[in-house]
Amino acid sequence: MSQLFSPLSLGPLALSNRIVIAPMCQYSADEGDATDWHTIHLGQLAQSGAGLLIIEATAVSPRARISWADLGLWDDANEAALGKVLAAVRRWSPMPIGVQLAHAGRKASTARPWEGGGAIAPEQAHGWQVLAPSPLPFKAGDPTPEALDIAGIDAVVEDFVAAAQRAVRLGLQLIELHAAHGYLLHQFLSPLSNQRDDAYGGALENRMRLLLRVFDAVRAVLPADVALGVRISATDWVEGGWDVAQSIELAKVLEARGNHFLHVSSGGLDPRQQIPLGPGYQVPQAAAIKAAISTPVIAVGLITEPAHAEAILVEAQADAIGLARGILYDPRWPWHAAAALGAQVSASPQYLRCEPHELRGLFKPAGQG
């Protein structure tokens, strides 16, 4: 039996296979509200046959957005708009759906990628004052962040909790805390961006403090049937920054606190990063972390071939495979992977007639196993 198409549990959440659609920003919200684009986007991904769909980085406050067009979950309007999208998607797909809750920190207040993606100063249209652990901009020439004081840190924790409570009301089955890609929780973890001299800076224990506070506070308000996990950058790819050894220590601490999964990415914190891009370039980091914990680990990063995804699981380098840009390029990747690996995949009844003649038995009606 294909490992990729075998079941997996992330804490209380049972998945029919080990293909995870990773969060992918769409920069198509209106004041944080989901739009028709999200119905189209999430709707097609929910027909892909994957085991889990995680909604894009969703800001816990207006200042937590990467761009002015980011999805949010900080007020009633955001909640209602996302609820409308989810109702439409769920009407036609039983796929489990989660959400990634995020705060962009010093990488907030930017233009959309197709408009250059550059930092926008607070006094400019679509701009605002960004926050960070220390007053260090992401790159030279960017506006200087405001260093969070203790009251500001407390407010960030409260914002994550409030967003998580909204996610629960929306019936989302999984919450992923975004502590990767150079955003706020990652900024506190890395000594390159965190130069504080208080209880939130310096030693590893202190740099982990905010993420652990957020994790504990969110976990306290979640019902037992909602999975909670964390996405991390395993390394900054910069000398003297966050690295795999520190990631392993964090993973152990999170596991002791009841973490249900770890989604392992890398980079994004410092423009000096030197990333050796290639198929599965982040898998060795995921494998090193997996070897140290029992928490399920999701590997991601240029995993595009079904045989490669299968090998990663067979070799116990990870427990699940995350797909991002690859599934945007090929929204039926799980179908094609099942065909290549001799497995079965769920498809909605409206699509059963498209099963190729030479692949009879590939499809099973959605919701069956």
Side-chain angles (χ1 to χ4, degrees):
M1 179 180 180
S2 164
Q3 284 295 301
L4 189 61
F5 288 91
S6 66
L8 173 69
S9 291
L10 303 180
L13 181 61
L15 309 184
S16 62
N17 64 54
R18 296 170 185 245
I19 302 171
V20 174
I21 301 175
M24 291 171 282
C25 292
Q26 297 297 294
Y27 307 100
S28 299
D30 180 9
E31 298 298 329
D33 294 350
T35 63
D36 288 346
W37 174 258
H38 294 93
T39 305
I40 295 167
H41 169 66
L42 297 174
Q44 70 167 340
L45 294 178
Q47 296 297 331
S48 68
L52 171 66
L53 169 58
I54 306 179
I55 297 170
E56 67 195 84
T58 301
V60 299
S61 70
R63 287 213 284 182
R65 293 175 292 176
I66 303 166
S67 81
W68 57 270
D70 279 25
L71 193 63
L73 198 51
W74 64 77
D75 64 17
D76 291 346
N78 298 162
E79 185 178 336
L82 186 55
K84 181 180 177 182
V85 170
L86 289 171
V89 174
R90 287 172 173 148
R91 182 181 178 190
W92 301 108
S93 172
M95 185 180 293
I97 303 176
V99 65
Q100 183 186 72
L101 298 182
H103 193 304
R106 70 180 187 178
K107 292 181 74 175
S109 187
T110 68
R112 295 181 295 185
W114 55 87
E115 295 166 338
I120 300 175
E123 66 276 8
Q124 295 178 327
H126 294 315
W128 59 89
Q129 177 60 54
V130 300
L131 305 170
S134 302
L136 304 170
F138 172 61
K139 59 184 178 182
D142 284 356
T144 301
E146 175 187 320
L148 282 160
D149 59 16
I150 298 303
I153 288 173
D154 291 343
V156 166
V157 177
E158 291 168 4
D159 288 340
F160 271 95
V161 169
Q165 291 172 318
R166 293 184 184 280
V168 170
R169 287 199 293 269
L170 288 170
L172 290 161
Q173 295 151 281
L174 172 146
I175 290 175
E176 178 175 280
L177 302 177
H178 198 356
H181 301 165
Y183 298 122
L184 185 67
L185 298 180
H186 183 186
Q187 290 162 27
F188 269 84
L189 291 174
S190 176
L192 298 176
S193 48
N194 182 348
Q195 297 184 7
R196 301 173 71 98
D197 59 6
D198 64 0
Y200 290 89
L204 176 60
E205 177 184 4
N206 290 350
R207 286 183 279 115
M208 294 193 300
R209 192 178 306 277
L210 176 57
L211 172 55
L212 297 179
R213 275 194 64 189
V214 170
F215 181 90
D216 290 345
V218 168
R219 186 170 183 268
V221 301
L222 294 187
D225 61 349
V226 176
L228 176 62
V230 180
R231 190 172 200 184
I232 65 168
S233 282
T235 174
D236 290 338
W237 300 107
V238 178
E239 187 71 26
W242 184 257
D243 57 22
V244 174
Q246 294 173 88
S247 294
I248 290 171
E249 291 307 307
L250 173 62
K252 290 177 178 178
V253 174
L254 285 168
E255 181 167 87
R257 284 169 140 83
N259 187 37
H260 292 138
F261 67 93
L262 203 64
H263 195 166
V264 179
S265 187
S266 71
L269 183 108
D270 192 303
R272 295 173 294 173
Q273 65 188 17
Q274 297 293 317
I275 302 178
L277 289 176
Y281 69 100
Q282 295 169 155
V283 172
Q285 290 80 27
I289 294 168
K290 175 175 167 53
I293 57 174
S294 58
T295 306
V297 169
I298 304 169
V300 67
L302 290 181
I303 303 168
T304 59
E305 298 300 323
H308 185 201
E310 180 77 5
I312 291 167
L313 301 179
V314 169
E315 294 167 11
Q317 295 178 291
D319 299 284
I321 302 299
L323 300 178
R325 298 178 194 188
I327 205 165
L328 291 186
Y329 185 73
D330 179 6
R332 296 291 183 265
W333 192 94
W335 291 11
H336 304 147
L341 298 172
Q344 282 191 307
V345 66
S346 293
S348 289
Q350 295 90 336
Y351 290 156
L352 294 179
R353 288 187 299 164
C354 79
E355 181 183 66
H357 179 76
E358 67 275 14
L359 294 172
R360 292 304 182 207
L362 172 67
F363 289 159
K364 55 188 175 182
Q368 290 189 7

